[in-house]
Amino acid sequence: MSKIPNPSQKNQTNTAIFERRESKVRSYARAMPRKFIKAQGVWMHDSNNGHYLDFLAGCASLNYGHNHPVMKQALLDYIEKDGIAQGLDLYTEAKADFLNAFESIILKPRNLDYRVMFTGPTGTNAVEAAIKLARKVTKRELIVSFTNGYHGMTLGALACTGNATKRNGAGVPLNNVVHEPFDGYFGADVDTADMLEQRLSDHSSGLDKPAAILLETVQGEGGLNAASTEWLRKIAETAKRHGALLIVDDIQAGCGRTNGFFSFEGMGFTPDIVTMSKSLSGMGLPFALTLFKPSLDIWSPGEHNGTFRGNNHAFVTATATLKHFWADDQFQTEVYKRGEYLSARLEKIADKYGFSTRGKGMMRGIDVGSGDIASEVTADAFDKGLIIETSGAFDEVIKVLAPLTITESEMAKGLDILEQCIRNICSEDVDAAA
Amino acid sequence: MSKIPNPSQKNQTNTAIFERRESKVRSYARAMPRKFIKAQGVWMHDSNNGHYLDFLAGCASLNYGHNHPVMKQALLDYIEKDGIAQGLDLYTEAKADFLNAFESIILKPRNLDYRVMFTGPTGTNAVEAAIKLARKVTKRELIVSFTNGYHGMTLGALACTGNATKRNGAGVPLNNVVHEPFDGYFGADVDTADMLEQRLSDHSSGLDKPAAILLETVQGEGGLNAASTEWLRKIAETAKRHGALLIVDDIQAGCGRTNGFFSFEGMGFTPDIVTMSKSLSGMGLPFALTLFKPSLDIWSPGEHNGTFRGNNHAFVTATATLKHFWADDQFQTEVYKRGEYLSARLEKIADKYGFSTRGKGMMRGIDVGSGDIASEVTADAFDKGLIIETSGAFDEVIKVLAPLTITESEMAKGLDILEQCIRNICSEDVDAAA
Amino acid sequence: MSKIPNPSQKNQTNTAIFERRESKVRSYARAMPRKFIKAQGVWMHDSNNGHYLDFLAGCASLNYGHNHPVMKQALLDYIEKDGIAQGLDLYTEAKADFLNAFESIILKPRNLDYRVMFTGPTGTNAVEAAIKLARKVTKRELIVSFTNGYHGMTLGALACTGNATKRNGAGVPLNNVVHEPFDGYFGADVDTADMLEQRLSDHSSGLDKPAAILLETVQGEGGLNAASTEWLRKIAETAKRHGALLIVDDIQAGCGRTNGFFSFEGMGFTPDIVTMSKSLSGMGLPFALTLFKPSLDIWSPGEHNGTFRGNNHAFVTATATLKHFWADDQFQTEVYKRGEYLSARLEKIADKYGFSTRGKGMMRGIDVGSGDIASEVTADAFDKGLIIETSGAFDEVIKVLAPLTITESEMAKGLDILEQCIRNICSEDVDAAA
Amino acid sequence: MSKIPNPSQKNQTNTAIFERRESKVRSYARAMPRKFIKAQGVWMHDSNNGHYLDFLAGCASLNYGHNHPVMKQALLDYIEKDGIAQGLDLYTEAKADFLNAFESIILKPRNLDYRVMFTGPTGTNAVEAAIKLARKVTKRELIVSFTNGYHGMTLGALACTGNATKRNGAGVPLNNVVHEPFDGYFGADVDTADMLEQRLSDHSSGLDKPAAILLETVQGEGGLNAASTEWLRKIAETAKRHGALLIVDDIQAGCGRTNGFFSFEGMGFTPDIVTMSKSLSGMGLPFALTLFKPSLDIWSPGEHNGTFRGNNHAFVTATATLKHFWADDQFQTEVYKRGEYLSARLEKIADKYGFSTRGKGMMRGIDVGSGDIASEVTADAFDKGLIIETSGAFDEVIKVLAPLTITESEMAKGLDILEQCIRNICSEDVDAAA
């Protein structure tokens, strides 16, 4: 497989069927109007022999790259032998294997005791289950989420999401949620965890006692804002003090993206509920889990159900992922190194143009201060064969979400392109300002 | 593959891992505590060489049976050649193929012009998108849904769902929805469509002008209640008259289960929005669509998004399904015949015990008047190797949801078991009453 | 005081200050653009020596007429001696006198044991307190109210109100309330109490268990719909069976307007909560009460408060009312006779033109089938010196809400005018149709 | 009338009727269990010849004292001549007189052009009307109110109120409102107006564009927190910038209590909507207004209505108030001086015990740091013949709300008692700490 990005031309691709039939709600495709046909590792191939280095990785749902051979083979074998594809919530061998692997490889070594709830196979469904459970357990109704948080598009999760465009889609008021300022929201000098504590301790603040505090440790869609360990610990204490559950939405920051398997490992607190999805299956297949402490497992049978909770294909590839990547520390160590390399390169670029960097681990980006500049840069990058996207309130952060399995030389290649694009677009401004 | 149901014994199955790790929310598994390992057509196999005739079919998500060879081969080929698995909403060849097939095989012959929205791959997500869009288009907030309706578990869809156990899971009031009486709810003599029309025409009824009227033409979870064509037409007219959109949730009744590809074909009205999922992929893979008239496509890019909208595996198998089953009328004709056979058999059984039948097409059942009796019958059936479940407000309807591809002899075998179980359990009562 | 209605001319009245300064929300004044200066009994006097027979009676808040000499003198004496005007919720002699009179004259003889809550002095506030309490007691959130019900304009009460114009004022969805069909809503043959019972007994109807069922026994603003005793009893039983509280909103139908002091007397059921206002003070002063069974009195001190709960002027006149009118049966007997006379006269008029009558007691009207006709009639009546208004979903009911203290000859005078106006406006139509 | 407070003994008062019949929701009466019979100026008299200096003044609804001779006489004259008591929203002479006086005495000299809406005669109703109108005008749903804000007890206004005990009464989630930190909430160094501006400017903060920002310039129930002019101006600019209306709830701080007739006079901004009540009638009679700029007057006739909008007794006394107190600056000047005296005395007391003072004008108090101490002090004061109450999240602020018409010597008398009570209760602590 070629190692040099080699994009095809836009006019080579016929996109008429999409324009004719697919809803205008489509988004990524607009900036990358190619027809992709196959993908392997960090490379995507289009219908005109173009190939692209993938720094988007299915929005962090392809942490192990496209069609990783280990998962691919496991899935082929399973389908070949007529393994159950769809099993509702029946017991299957594939589910048993997953649960056993998750217990022995993930939970036990981390001294975590979580019940596993197979929700509908989307992140938003896992979040819906989490907030339902928190409300059911506490008999309270309010959820505290945070500025710039992103938790999904169904009505319960959407209420917890900050972005105005997404929220506008609801068409009804999004209630029973308040959005409090995230770590650093008012600058480095203002401790927003203390503010939340003050308001919850104040009988007359108008902030009702919440069922849960819901957060991402690193906000993906919200602009790669990484909360400090100290802030997270304070929030965990505040939750506990006021009888609220702490829900960590680890859908984007988890599965090795920012820290260990969970983003909160080693931080000195244990969330009551954790949501997982995206890279969980290891191959980009729909899969989602809600984990919670056994004492919270007060669900009635079928109280939250759904047809595709038993996506056994995903169980199979997820189990392969756990065994292949998480049985020892090696993968995590390498990811950490790659993250450090990424950080150093981004810092250097940012410094040159007076920008700042954001994020943590392998979930980092550059805040170029304006969505217009950021989208010019990513468009230029795509023309050079690099798939990369933006995030943040104004899409002002160019985010690098490469597969964790990327080699250093592949990453260097992508960052070289990114650097070049920023130089092209931002040098003039810098020159002009100088 | 064996043709005689041959269940294994419960005590042969070790379910400890599930009891230890899986949330109490699990439901089907409780009544069928076996570990399933593979499945083909109408047969499921467990870890002790037991095999079971499947009259549940993944709750109608396996209309073409388990691992149908055509879809299976298409998927194996696709994975083998590193086809895109996860593509966000990027244009892919697999998506183009699906859209082309859906346009030429499904939409054009039916003279339907719908835009296709790839929502998160669950039915509930498709419903959430539908009601969001209806609210956005009409700038109204209320949804009219119906008694015994089932539309999903995320907060927006759950509000449209009737079942109290499911609703209780919300932990917050489920607002902006009213549940009006479905066709036949107050008996054959009361026209509930006229009632709805009266209330919507009454300025002072307290029923606000709705954004949409949302219904299943045959209510699956609600007890296999089939609305009459006349009632549906009246509802469609009422929706139009009052500026509301008509949403048909065809997740369970569609894909050939009750009528044509869509459940509303040939009824003389065209829904504004249609939701599809379950059997859409043909293989039980997570997949969902929201279809709507082009004039309603006012979404902003990304206004409703989600990671797994691009489940390309499902596009591949769905395309295979369309080409294999829906290119001509043959499949539909056969399904109709099987449905008539099913109906005749169920009528006969029902008559004997003074029960009544419910449903339409291949989505039929017997109302045995009590959830206790129904669950005794299905438990007995499972012990004899038949997987079958109940529905209805009190789980009082034993429902037959066999794959549409079932042969008449396989169906006869299953119905024989069902008849025997009903005889075992209900004869005594009948004798006693006689 | 003159005994013949003698209206002044519109052009004699300068209304510029109102048009310049008063909000467009004003309503009654638009159809009766005179400047009123004084009133006594059933007569209102304007600034040009016009006088009018009052068949509106402050929307039933002047059941004893304007400035009744007994209440007037009691109030003059009280103010003269510097009696407390505003007492928050402090204990005052005037409040003690009222409570003693209410206990001995109203509650004890009727064998009713209610706690008295002095809410803010408006009907809507009494309703808000009632539904708050019902939700607090039952820990449920839904209120069942009825088509065409009217309960007030603040957000909680407005949600229980049916009228679309009023509801539109909210600007937010009016949640946690459903509006079920009132007695007779679907015609005489459909028992809507049975329907409600069926839906509440159905686990899957989508109608959650309510905190309360809230109703008027005779709907004032909704068109003078009088519920039958049998229907009310069934509703009371349904409430009890499903753990909901029964709230009777007796703000318009109470204080002798339709039956005894309470509208539900002698009907064989006892509401859990009753709201009172309008004619309670006897002189049209702001005053409202929420009554409830002692076991429901679980309020925290000050949990529902407000500045004007202690309108002691109203306590004084209300006490005078109780002592003067309710100490024995005489008043009630006379009111009943006047109601019968009213009924007979209205029936006769209605018969002549194919209209129907509505209502009960001294709260009756004629449904002329169209708001346009009704407003022509009332405009004509006003021009002849009769103040009369409409109600109903389309303002199609001309309602007679004369003071209960009206003499038969005064009532005859008003009804003569009304009959003449209907003849003027409706004869042509009848002639044309003949 | 005696000039020395002279309370009676608790055991002289028989309160059985209240305990037996009045709901437990009663609050003030609990701490002051006397039966009051009359009141004049700053003095209240009980049924045992006790008399009390009134530093509560009907919670600032008696700014001109009890039964002021001018208002009293105007009301007696009006009733004597059978003036309209209850006029719905009909035009009456009393209403015209009020509107003319309000226009010429209040609005014109202040260069304010407001439409006058006569709402139901309670503050909460005026607030409900204000937020309805703001939502209607802006077609938005969210209201921004503030920590420790108090706006009333009906569902719409209650949602804007901070106090948890009051909020708990709702029994449903209080939605469509967020409570942002008031001026000084996070200490003097944190500018909460800037914070609000940042959040509203952030597309992804989760704070939707509000219909209105609702505030009290001095928070009465919330602990006498006075916002700075600079902060209020910033908030007014923020409202304008983001298309939200500014609503000043001047129910407690208005009518001369803290500044001019309106609390916001001379501050350099003009609210879009103003709510008034409490002292508006001048005699403690129920009365409330919502004022708004003429361009906002988009109400439909009767869209917000209510029986007692036409409390003509209140119009009469209110007009007398305007003419007597507000025709020139004299009253305002005297009130200012009394406020300065009050301030100096409170500062001196506070300094002695390390307490701090709060408030503005004649709405000031001492924060004694604990609700227990504050209630000991007020209980002791009552035993010495001084009626005084607390406010704040924990009832930790002893508030002086004397009639504005109090003489300096009467005020000195009351403050002497207060000082003595604080000395009695707090000296020990100070001694112990020393």
Side-chain angles (χ1 to χ4, degrees), chain B residues 203-221:
Chain B
H203 189 68
S204 197
S205 71
L207 187 59
D208 298 326
K209 294 286 182 197
I213 301 181
L214 166 65
L215 56 82
E216 303 148 281
T217 61
V218 185
Q219 297 184 317
E221 300 308 301

Side-chain angles (χ1 to χ4, degrees), chain D residues 109-150:
Chain D
R110 288 163 182 79
N111 204 21
L112 291 168
D113 185 12
Y114 284 132
R115 284 278 163 82
V116 177
M117 175 176 178
F118 297 92
T119 66
T122 61
T124 194
N125 203 298
V127 171
E128 294 263 347
I131 62 183
K132 273 186 180 182
L133 185 62
R135 285 166 170 158
K136 191 176 166 71
V137 166
T138 61
K139 299 190 198 311
R140 297 175 181 177
E141 285 160 319
L142 187 71
I143 305 291
V144 170
S145 69
F146 291 91
T147 51
N148 291 294
Y150 179 95

Side-chain angles (χ1 to χ4, degrees), chain C residues 102-113 260-262 264-266 270 326 328-329 332:
Chain C
F102 194 74
E103 180 180 77
S104 63
I105 298 171
I106 301 299
L107 296 182
K108 289 223 164 140
R110 287 162 181 80
N111 204 19
L112 291 167
D113 185 11
F261 184 82
F262 297 110
F264 53 81
E265 287 177 25
T270 305
W326 294 99
D328 59 34
D329 285 350
Q332 216 169 310

Side-chain angles (χ1 to χ4, degrees), chain A residues 20-21 23 25 27 61 72 82 86 89 103 114 116 128 132 150 153 155 166 278 302 305 307, chain B residues 20-21 23 25 27 61 72 82 86 89 103 114 116 128 132 150 153 155 166 278 302 305 307:
Chain A
R20 192 165 70 239
R21 279 295 152 208
S23 165
V25 80
S27 54
S61 67
K72 174 180 167 180
D82 285 326
Q86 144 69 308
D89 72 353
E103 180 180 77
Y114 284 132
V116 176
E128 294 263 347
K132 272 186 180 181
Y150 179 94
M153 290 293 102
L155 220 56
K166 312 295 186 202
K278 288 201 181 269
N305 62 6
T307 299
Chain B
R20 192 166 70 238
R21 279 294 152 209
S23 164
V25 80
S27 55
S61 66
K72 174 180 167 180
D82 285 326
Q86 143 70 307
D89 73 354
E103 181 180 76
Y114 284 132
V116 176
E128 295 263 347
K132 273 186 181 181
Y150 178 95
M153 291 293 102
L155 221 56
K166 313 295 187 203
K278 288 200 181 270
N305 62 5
T307 299

Side-chain angles (χ1 to χ4, degrees), chain B residues 141 147-148 162-165 167 173 175-176 179 181 185-186 190 195 198-199 201-206 208 393-394, chain C residues 141 147-148 162-165 167 173 175-176 179 181 185-186 190 195 198-199 201-206 208 393-394:
Chain B
E141 286 160 322
T147 52
N148 291 292
N163 186 280
T165 305
R167 294 173 65 82
N175 283 318
N176 303 308
H179 297 259
Y185 189 77
F186 291 127
V190 179
M195 285 180 167
Q198 178 178 338
R199 293 197 58 194
S201 299
D202 178 355
H203 189 68
S204 197
S205 71
D208 298 326
F394 303 98
Chain C
E141 285 159 321
T147 52
N148 292 292
N163 186 279
T165 306
R167 294 173 67 80
N175 283 318
N176 302 310
H179 298 259
Y185 188 77
F186 292 126
V190 179
M195 285 180 167
Q198 178 177 338
R199 293 196 59 193
S201 298
D202 178 354
H203 189 67
S204 197
S205 70
D208 298 325
F394 304 97

Side-chain angles (χ1 to χ4, degrees), chain B residues 7-284:
Chain B
S8 64
Q9 298 306 305
K10 182 177 179 181
N11 59 15
Q12 293 172 322
T13 306
N14 180 352
T15 57
I17 182 66
F18 303 106
E19 281 142 26
R20 192 166 70 238
R21 279 294 152 209
E22 191 175 1
S23 164
K24 289 181 179 165
V25 80
R26 66 193 187 278
S27 55
Y28 293 110
R30 293 167 184 271
M32 309 180 200
R34 297 299 182 284
K35 188 151 62 185
F36 295 98
I37 56 170
K38 64 176 188 171
Q40 220 295 318
V42 301
W43 297 96
M44 295 191 78
H45 300 260
D46 75 8
S47 56
N48 286 295
N49 294 314
H51 44 267
Y52 304 79
L53 191 52
D54 185 1
F55 269 29
L56 177 53
C59 259
S61 66
L62 291 163
N63 279 0
Y64 316 101
H66 293 267
N67 289 310
H68 189 283
V70 171
M71 280 80 90
K72 174 180 167 180
Q73 195 55 50
L75 183 56
L76 285 171
D77 292 349
Y78 187 77
I79 298 171
E80 194 62 67
K81 66 173 189 189
D82 285 326
I84 307 281
Q86 143 70 307
L88 296 171
D89 73 354
L90 291 172
Y91 299 149
T92 64
E93 192 172 46
K95 184 156 74 173
D97 290 350
F98 171 76
L99 284 172
N100 277 311
F102 194 74
E103 181 180 76
S104 63
I105 298 172
I106 301 298
L107 296 181
K108 291 224 163 139
R110 288 162 181 80
N111 204 21
L112 291 168
D113 185 12
Y114 284 132
R115 285 277 164 85
V116 176
M117 176 176 177
F118 297 92
T119 66
T122 61
T124 195
N125 203 298
V127 171
E128 295 263 347
I131 61 183
K132 273 186 181 181
L133 185 62
R135 285 166 171 159
K136 191 175 165 72
V137 166
T138 62
K139 299 190 198 311
R140 297 175 179 177
E141 286 160 322
L142 186 72
I143 306 292
V144 170
S145 69
F146 291 91
T147 52
N148 291 292
Y150 178 95
H151 302 284
M153 291 293 102
T154 50
L155 221 56
L158 181 54
C160 304
T161 294
N163 186 280
T165 305
K166 313 295 187 203
R167 294 173 65 82
N168 285 345
V172 288
L174 293 168
N175 283 318
N176 303 308
V177 175
V178 292
H179 297 259
E180 292 297 302
F182 194 68
D183 191 18
Y185 189 77
F186 291 127
D189 297 340
V190 179
D191 188 328
T192 60
D194 289 350
M195 285 180 167
L196 181 58
E197 175 59 35
Q198 178 178 338
R199 293 197 58 194
L200 286 174
S201 299
D202 178 355
H203 189 68
S204 197
S205 71
L207 187 59
D208 298 326
K209 294 286 182 197
I213 301 181
L214 166 65
L215 56 82
E216 303 148 281
T217 61
V218 185
Q219 297 184 317
E221 300 308 301
L224 305 181
N225 311 304
S228 71
T229 300
E230 194 197 353
W231 186 86
L232 289 166
R233 255 193 219 149
K234 279 189 176 180
I235 294 288
E237 280 157 27
T238 286
K240 198 170 192 175
R241 190 173 300 119
H242 298 283
L245 303 183
L246 178 66
I247 307 174
V248 170
D249 179 341
D250 234 14
I251 290 170
Q252 187 158 165
C255 291
R257 177 59 60 183
T258 60
N259 187 357
F261 184 83
F262 297 111
S263 72
F264 53 80
E265 287 176 26
M267 286 185 171
F269 67 92
T270 305
D272 299 291
I273 306 181
V274 182
T275 58
M276 307 287 295
S277 184
K278 288 200 181 270
S279 281
L280 200 59
S281 80
M283 204 170 151

